[in-house]
Amino acid sequence: MSSTAASRRRLAAAVTVTLAVTLAAGTVGAPAFAAPAAVAPPSGAAQATSAALTFPRRAEIAFSGTTGFLSSDGLWTGYDGVTAQRGFSHDWQATGAPDLMATDGAFESRIFDVARGTTVLHINSQIQGPIGTFVGAAGTSLFTYTQTRAFLMHTRSGATTTSRAVTGVPAGASDVSVQAGNASYGVVTYSATVDGTPKRYRGLVDLAAGGVVETYEVPADISGNAAVSDEVVAWSEGGDVVVITRATGARKRIAANRTGTPSHVGLMGDWVTYTTASAIDHGNAIAHHLTDGRTLRFLYEATSVVSDPSGFQLLRGTDQGVEGLYRLALGTDGTPAVTLVAPLAPIPPLRLLGHTVPAVADLDRPGDHTIAWKFSANFDGWAEVRHVKTGMSRMVFAGLDGLMPAEIDLQDPRRDALPNGDYTWTVDVTGEGGYVLKKSGTFRITRKTKPHDFDDNGSADLLARDASGTLWSRQGLGGPLKVGTGWGVYDRIEAAGNLGGSAVGDVVARDRTGVLWLHKGTGDGRLANRIRVGTGWNTYGLLAGGSDVTGDGRPDLLGVNAAGVLWVHQGTGRDTAPFAATRRSAGTGWGVYNEIAAVGNVAGAAAGDLVARDRAGVLWLHLGKGDGTFAPRVRIGSGWNEYTQLVAVGDADRDSRNDLVAYSPVGGQVYLYSGTGRWQAPFKGRVSTAYRAEGATYDHWS
């Protein structure tokens, strides 16, 4: 990762992570430990093997132990090269003891040996219980504070856990917290009222004696860690580092001279160290000599830092273009210096782990059809699917503002209304380190033909003719798409479904001499040149198409003649003769209606149904029997005479139920009545649509 990318990370004094630590069922005795000799880094085998160590690329340093370190992704790496995944879903903090951290969960607190993966000390800490709630840890001790404001320290020796009161904190203290200081001391921070004035304090807890031995007043908003040596204590206040001589109480303020509050203060011999969050001035790991005032700066940029019980620090950062984990420690001459402990892990090649592109996506099948590609690492790039027939494509970009999660999701092709047919797919992505991965493949999308689907994408389209005779297709509630001119020669235009065997919706149109013509769909929203079907069709005052009422799987065409007889012309599936030679009667008495629409199944049965409006504006439902005849009518509404046309549009709102469209000459508005699937009330209330084109006047809808 470049230094620019690294600068986006927020510097953390001690990285807060979500770990998943496997806690051992048993416990072990608390290890004894003493103050380390000076501030020497690990030696011997640890240093000899550190050259083979690596640090996770997308992690920060979270914890430093004597025998290894923990990254923010929960990986423990021993200086012997052995790694183990630790993890834990609760808050945690370093204790200052070798390889020990404290964890606080629901009603329990632990001291955990990160190197061994075992629990050293466990207590049931509850706000209302006698032990109280967890407030911190130092060394091998856990600290709690009770509702009665008792400050308790809990330690373990062998199989026995001992709890005792910590002396030196006022009985009325509040906001109590404890953190590690050094091997001998913890640091307690609390609030107390003195002579009626609220004040904030920090004190040193003698871990052997169990009492506060030194107390210092601090600002009310103080935060961050404290560093302790035999001679001084240090922490940050505002923009400065404050160093207090323990013997005299004398305070020295060191201006951090950087933007932002200094964080993670440390002590190394005669040096105080700290880091700043500034990305403007590089070299933000700083050491200041307490006697002669020398200031040294390290690393191009440090993004996280932790202290080790042995006295040195580990920093995640960059030095001379090399990113990794660095150790800041005193050299043999007593001057701090940084050395590389573990470079970042090598960048693995980017691989396509898998995808959900099917060989054939049958979009009539229920369930999820999400198309996605999953990769082995994060990336920048894109994925594209391209329709072979039309060249239409859908692209999804990822990682335009930095590297993104390792998956591209095109969502469900039904949502994008991808048309039927053959497709190619391509992914072109670039991972870290410039790894480029290109993959491609093919697939096919299929779905059954919808009567009002002229662009073959599963969405319902509506045809509208304007006053000039131009036919427009309003595709999927949108559009318009110009289909063609010269359609003014027709007095009736019907979306008839797949009549000609081309697997897309077709149209029949009757001219004013009674000749019926077939315009086959092309699958791109347009229609082919007409084919003469037959003559004498002007015997019908009403026509309705697009629905299978005979149960053979092919759409039929229905007409009502002047005698009120409903005739069914059964579909054949052949474009040269799309209807059977013999028509079938569906009964008489249909002359009471001035509008009919073959709506398909709107009542829950498999057969095609009809809706019909009488001259009083009452709408009736005739349930289809599936044999070309219909059940007696059921009244389903009134007031429908405000519409000049009713159109059986199919499933316009994609809820798997057929709908009805009604055209009102008032404002040229088109309304959608969504299907319910219930014969008692087959349609919901009307909803205005965007079918009407701006400034256009239509005289015919289908």
PDB file of all heavy atoms in Angstrom, residues 427-448:
ATOM      1  N   VAL A 427     -15.261  -9.772 -16.741  1.00  0.00           N
ATOM      2  CA  VAL A 427     -14.800  -9.047 -15.559  1.00  0.00           C
ATOM      3  C   VAL A 427     -13.364  -8.615 -15.812  1.00  0.00           C
ATOM      4  O   VAL A 427     -12.554  -9.366 -16.369  1.00  0.00           O
ATOM      5  CB  VAL A 427     -14.892  -9.887 -14.263  1.00  0.00           C
ATOM      6  CG1 VAL A 427     -16.344 -10.130 -13.890  1.00  0.00           C
ATOM      7  CG2 VAL A 427     -14.143 -11.200 -14.391  1.00  0.00           C
ATOM      8  N   ASP A 428     -13.057  -7.380 -15.453  1.00  0.00           N
ATOM      9  CA  ASP A 428     -11.720  -6.809 -15.642  1.00  0.00           C
ATOM     10  C   ASP A 428     -11.382  -6.042 -14.374  1.00  0.00           C
ATOM     11  O   ASP A 428     -11.909  -4.961 -14.132  1.00  0.00           O
ATOM     12  CB  ASP A 428     -11.720  -5.885 -16.853  1.00  0.00           C
ATOM     13  CG  ASP A 428     -10.315  -5.443 -17.253  1.00  0.00           C
ATOM     14  OD1 ASP A 428      -9.446  -5.348 -16.361  1.00  0.00           O
ATOM     15  OD2 ASP A 428     -10.091  -5.189 -18.441  1.00  0.00           O
ATOM     16  N   VAL A 429     -10.536  -6.626 -13.522  1.00  0.00           N
ATOM     17  CA  VAL A 429     -10.256  -6.038 -12.219  1.00  0.00           C
ATOM     18  C   VAL A 429      -8.755  -5.991 -11.971  1.00  0.00           C
ATOM     19  O   VAL A 429      -7.981  -6.789 -12.521  1.00  0.00           O
ATOM     20  CB  VAL A 429     -10.937  -6.842 -11.082  1.00  0.00           C
ATOM     21  CG1 VAL A 429     -12.447  -6.763 -11.207  1.00  0.00           C
ATOM     22  CG2 VAL A 429     -10.493  -8.291 -11.086  1.00  0.00           C
ATOM     23  N   THR A 430      -8.356  -5.031 -11.148  1.00  0.00           N
ATOM     24  CA  THR A 430      -6.955  -4.859 -10.774  1.00  0.00           C
ATOM     25  C   THR A 430      -6.863  -4.851  -9.265  1.00  0.00           C
ATOM     26  O   THR A 430      -7.556  -4.079  -8.586  1.00  0.00           O
ATOM     27  CB  THR A 430      -6.385  -3.550 -11.336  1.00  0.00           C
ATOM     28  OG1 THR A 430      -6.525  -3.548 -12.748  1.00  0.00           O
ATOM     29  CG2 THR A 430      -4.919  -3.403 -10.965  1.00  0.00           C
ATOM     30  N   GLY A 431      -6.020  -5.709  -8.715  1.00  0.00           N
ATOM     31  CA  GLY A 431      -5.843  -5.799  -7.272  1.00  0.00           C
ATOM     32  C   GLY A 431      -4.619  -5.057  -6.801  1.00  0.00           C
ATOM     33  O   GLY A 431      -3.939  -4.364  -7.574  1.00  0.00           O
ATOM     34  N   GLU A 432      -4.317  -5.200  -5.529  1.00  0.00           N
ATOM     35  CA  GLU A 432      -3.128  -4.570  -4.966  1.00  0.00           C
ATOM     36  C   GLU A 432      -1.878  -5.076  -5.684  1.00  0.00           C
ATOM     37  O   GLU A 432      -1.805  -6.221  -6.118  1.00  0.00           O
ATOM     38  CB  GLU A 432      -3.033  -4.877  -3.467  1.00  0.00           C
ATOM     39  CG  GLU A 432      -4.032  -4.128  -2.626  1.00  0.00           C
ATOM     40  CD  GLU A 432      -3.777  -4.354  -1.145  1.00  0.00           C
ATOM     41  OE1 GLU A 432      -2.937  -3.647  -0.571  1.00  0.00           O
ATOM     42  OE2 GLU A 432      -4.414  -5.245  -0.567  1.00  0.00           O
ATOM     43  N   GLY A 433      -0.926  -4.197  -5.783  1.00  0.00           N
ATOM     44  CA  GLY A 433       0.315  -4.569  -6.442  1.00  0.00           C
ATOM     45  C   GLY A 433       0.221  -4.603  -7.946  1.00  0.00           C
ATOM     46  O   GLY A 433       1.143  -5.055  -8.619  1.00  0.00           O
ATOM     47  N   GLY A 434      -0.896  -4.135  -8.499  1.00  0.00           N
ATOM     48  CA  GLY A 434      -1.045  -4.104  -9.944  1.00  0.00           C
ATOM     49  C   GLY A 434      -1.475  -5.413 -10.567  1.00  0.00           C
ATOM     50  O   GLY A 434      -1.443  -5.555 -11.799  1.00  0.00           O
ATOM     51  N   TYR A 435      -1.887  -6.398  -9.741  1.00  0.00           N
ATOM     52  CA  TYR A 435      -2.354  -7.658 -10.312  1.00  0.00           C
ATOM     53  C   TYR A 435      -3.603  -7.406 -11.146  1.00  0.00           C
ATOM     54  O   TYR A 435      -4.578  -6.821 -10.680  1.00  0.00           O
ATOM     55  CB  TYR A 435      -2.683  -8.672  -9.213  1.00  0.00           C
ATOM     56  CG  TYR A 435      -1.467  -9.326  -8.604  1.00  0.00           C
ATOM     57  CD1 TYR A 435      -1.067  -9.029  -7.315  1.00  0.00           C
ATOM     58  CD2 TYR A 435      -0.723 -10.261  -9.335  1.00  0.00           C
ATOM     59  CE1 TYR A 435       0.052  -9.628  -6.744  1.00  0.00           C
ATOM     60  CE2 TYR A 435       0.396 -10.864  -8.768  1.00  0.00           C
ATOM     61  CZ  TYR A 435       0.773 -10.543  -7.483  1.00  0.00           C
ATOM     62  OH  TYR A 435       1.872 -11.140  -6.937  1.00  0.00           O
ATOM     63  N   VAL A 436      -3.585  -7.847 -12.407  1.00  0.00           N
ATOM     64  CA  VAL A 436      -4.714  -7.665 -13.324  1.00  0.00           C
ATOM     65  C   VAL A 436      -5.336  -9.027 -13.603  1.00  0.00           C
ATOM     66  O   VAL A 436      -4.630 -10.001 -13.898  1.00  0.00           O
ATOM     67  CB  VAL A 436      -4.266  -7.005 -14.648  1.00  0.00           C
ATOM     68  CG1 VAL A 436      -5.436  -6.911 -15.624  1.00  0.00           C
ATOM     69  CG2 VAL A 436      -3.682  -5.621 -14.375  1.00  0.00           C
ATOM     70  N   LEU A 437      -6.660  -9.076 -13.507  1.00  0.00           N
ATOM     71  CA  LEU A 437      -7.376 -10.321 -13.756  1.00  0.00           C
ATOM     72  C   LEU A 437      -8.511 -10.037 -14.733  1.00  0.00           C
ATOM     73  O   LEU A 437      -9.336  -9.143 -14.501  1.00  0.00           O
ATOM     74  CB  LEU A 437      -7.938 -10.894 -12.454  1.00  0.00           C
ATOM     75  CG  LEU A 437      -8.790 -12.155 -12.594  1.00  0.00           C
ATOM     76  CD1 LEU A 437      -7.943 -13.316 -13.096  1.00  0.00           C
ATOM     77  CD2 LEU A 437      -9.434 -12.511 -11.257  1.00  0.00           C
ATOM     78  N   LYS A 438      -8.535 -10.780 -15.841  1.00  0.00           N
ATOM     79  CA  LYS A 438      -9.610 -10.674 -16.813  1.00  0.00           C
ATOM     80  C   LYS A 438     -10.189 -12.063 -17.042  1.00  0.00           C
ATOM     81  O   LYS A 438      -9.455 -13.020 -17.291  1.00  0.00           O
ATOM     82  CB  LYS A 438      -9.106 -10.095 -18.131  1.00  0.00           C
ATOM     83  CG  LYS A 438      -8.620  -8.653 -18.055  1.00  0.00           C
ATOM     84  CD  LYS A 438      -8.190  -8.134 -19.418  1.00  0.00           C
ATOM     85  CE  LYS A 438      -7.719  -6.690 -19.339  1.00  0.00           C
ATOM     86  NZ  LYS A 438      -7.311  -6.153 -20.670  1.00  0.00           N
ATOM     87  N   LYS A 439     -11.503 -12.164 -16.941  1.00  0.00           N
ATOM     88  CA  LYS A 439     -12.192 -13.420 -17.184  1.00  0.00           C
ATOM     89  C   LYS A 439     -13.453 -13.132 -17.989  1.00  0.00           C
ATOM     90  O   LYS A 439     -14.025 -12.038 -17.919  1.00  0.00           O
ATOM     91  CB  LYS A 439     -12.584 -14.103 -15.867  1.00  0.00           C
ATOM     92  CG  LYS A 439     -11.407 -14.551 -15.012  1.00  0.00           C
ATOM     93  CD  LYS A 439     -10.735 -15.779 -15.594  1.00  0.00           C
ATOM     94  CE  LYS A 439      -9.641 -16.302 -14.671  1.00  0.00           C
ATOM     95  NZ  LYS A 439      -8.978 -17.507 -15.216  1.00  0.00           N
ATOM     96  N   SER A 440     -13.898 -14.122 -18.749  1.00  0.00           N
ATOM     97  CA  SER A 440     -15.111 -13.955 -19.540  1.00  0.00           C
ATOM     98  C   SER A 440     -15.823 -15.286 -19.662  1.00  0.00           C
ATOM     99  O   SER A 440     -15.260 -16.352 -19.367  1.00  0.00           O
ATOM    100  CB  SER A 440     -14.783 -13.387 -20.920  1.00  0.00           C
ATOM    101  OG  SER A 440     -13.937 -14.274 -21.632  1.00  0.00           O
ATOM    102  N   GLY A 441     -17.065 -15.221 -20.115  1.00  0.00           N
ATOM    103  CA  GLY A 441     -17.862 -16.423 -20.290  1.00  0.00           C
ATOM    104  C   GLY A 441     -19.152 -16.087 -21.007  1.00  0.00           C
ATOM    105  O   GLY A 441     -19.354 -14.958 -21.483  1.00  0.00           O
ATOM    106  N   THR A 442     -20.021 -17.063 -21.104  1.00  0.00           N
ATOM    107  CA  THR A 442     -21.305 -16.885 -21.772  1.00  0.00           C
ATOM    108  C   THR A 442     -22.421 -17.445 -20.909  1.00  0.00           C
ATOM    109  O   THR A 442     -22.184 -18.295 -20.047  1.00  0.00           O
ATOM    110  CB  THR A 442     -21.315 -17.589 -23.138  1.00  0.00           C
ATOM    111  OG1 THR A 442     -21.139 -19.001 -22.935  1.00  0.00           O
ATOM    112  CG2 THR A 442     -20.215 -17.056 -24.042  1.00  0.00           C
ATOM    113  N   PHE A 443     -23.632 -16.981 -21.153  1.00  0.00           N
ATOM    114  CA  PHE A 443     -24.822 -17.549 -20.520  1.00  0.00           C
ATOM    115  C   PHE A 443     -26.032 -17.150 -21.355  1.00  0.00           C
ATOM    116  O   PHE A 443     -25.924 -16.407 -22.329  1.00  0.00           O
ATOM    117  CB  PHE A 443     -24.955 -17.096 -19.071  1.00  0.00           C
ATOM    118  CG  PHE A 443     -25.279 -15.638 -18.879  1.00  0.00           C
ATOM    119  CD1 PHE A 443     -26.560 -15.228 -18.535  1.00  0.00           C
ATOM    120  CD2 PHE A 443     -24.294 -14.665 -19.026  1.00  0.00           C
ATOM    121  CE1 PHE A 443     -26.853 -13.887 -18.350  1.00  0.00           C
ATOM    122  CE2 PHE A 443     -24.580 -13.326 -18.840  1.00  0.00           C
ATOM    123  CZ  PHE A 443     -25.865 -12.936 -18.503  1.00  0.00           C
ATOM    124  N   ARG A 444     -27.170 -17.644 -20.944  1.00  0.00           N
ATOM    125  CA  ARG A 444     -28.397 -17.389 -21.682  1.00  0.00           C
ATOM    126  C   ARG A 444     -29.513 -17.050 -20.703  1.00  0.00           C
ATOM    127  O   ARG A 444     -29.604 -17.642 -19.623  1.00  0.00           O
ATOM    128  CB  ARG A 444     -28.777 -18.605 -22.530  1.00  0.00           C
ATOM    129  CG  ARG A 444     -30.013 -18.408 -23.397  1.00  0.00           C
ATOM    130  CD  ARG A 444     -30.248 -19.603 -24.313  1.00  0.00           C
ATOM    131  NE  ARG A 444     -31.429 -19.427 -25.138  1.00  0.00           N
ATOM    132  CZ  ARG A 444     -31.478 -18.710 -26.255  1.00  0.00           C
ATOM    133  NH1 ARG A 444     -30.376 -18.110 -26.681  1.00  0.00           N
ATOM    134  NH2 ARG A 444     -32.593 -18.594 -26.953  1.00  0.00           N
ATOM    135  N   ILE A 445     -30.364 -16.105 -21.082  1.00  0.00           N
ATOM    136  CA  ILE A 445     -31.542 -15.745 -20.299  1.00  0.00           C
ATOM    137  C   ILE A 445     -32.786 -16.161 -21.075  1.00  0.00           C
ATOM    138  O   ILE A 445     -32.900 -15.893 -22.277  1.00  0.00           O
ATOM    139  CB  ILE A 445     -31.583 -14.233 -20.010  1.00  0.00           C
ATOM    140  CG1 ILE A 445     -30.492 -13.860 -18.995  1.00  0.00           C
ATOM    141  CG2 ILE A 445     -32.949 -13.812 -19.472  1.00  0.00           C
ATOM    142  CD1 ILE A 445     -30.435 -12.383 -18.667  1.00  0.00           C
ATOM    143  N   THR A 446     -33.698 -16.845 -20.391  1.00  0.00           N
ATOM    144  CA  THR A 446     -34.961 -17.251 -21.004  1.00  0.00           C
ATOM    145  C   THR A 446     -36.110 -16.904 -20.068  1.00  0.00           C
ATOM    146  O   THR A 446     -35.954 -16.864 -18.862  1.00  0.00           O
ATOM    147  CB  THR A 446     -35.005 -18.761 -21.300  1.00  0.00           C
ATOM    148  OG1 THR A 446     -34.993 -19.485 -20.055  1.00  0.00           O
ATOM    149  CG2 THR A 446     -33.823 -19.186 -22.143  1.00  0.00           C
ATOM    150  N   ARG A 447     -37.246 -16.673 -20.655  1.00  0.00           N
ATOM    151  CA  ARG A 447     -38.520 -16.514 -19.941  1.00  0.00           C
ATOM    152  C   ARG A 447     -39.636 -16.683 -20.956  1.00  0.00           C
ATOM    153  O   ARG A 447     -39.420 -16.547 -22.165  1.00  0.00           O
ATOM    154  CB  ARG A 447     -38.610 -15.141 -19.243  1.00  0.00           C
ATOM    155  CG  ARG A 447     -38.334 -13.981 -20.155  1.00  0.00           C
ATOM    156  CD  ARG A 447     -38.736 -12.660 -19.565  1.00  0.00           C
ATOM    157  NE  ARG A 447     -37.809 -12.103 -18.608  1.00  0.00           N
ATOM    158  CZ  ARG A 447     -36.681 -11.466 -18.911  1.00  0.00           C
ATOM    159  NH1 ARG A 447     -36.296 -11.369 -20.171  1.00  0.00           N
ATOM    160  NH2 ARG A 447     -35.937 -10.921 -17.975  1.00  0.00           N
ATOM    161  N   LYS A 448     -40.808 -16.992 -20.495  1.00  0.00           N
ATOM    162  CA  LYS A 448     -41.928 -17.160 -21.399  1.00  0.00           C
ATOM    163  C   LYS A 448     -42.313 -15.816 -22.015  1.00  0.00           C
ATOM    164  O   LYS A 448     -42.123 -14.758 -21.422  1.00  0.00           O
ATOM    165  CB  LYS A 448     -43.124 -17.748 -20.656  1.00  0.00           C
ATOM    166  CG  LYS A 448     -42.903 -19.175 -20.187  1.00  0.00           C
ATOM    167  CD  LYS A 448     -44.117 -19.692 -19.420  1.00  0.00           C
ATOM    168  CE  LYS A 448     -43.879 -21.112 -18.924  1.00  0.00           C
ATOM    169  NZ  LYS A 448     -45.037 -21.606 -18.126  1.00  0.00           N
TER     170      LYS A 448
END
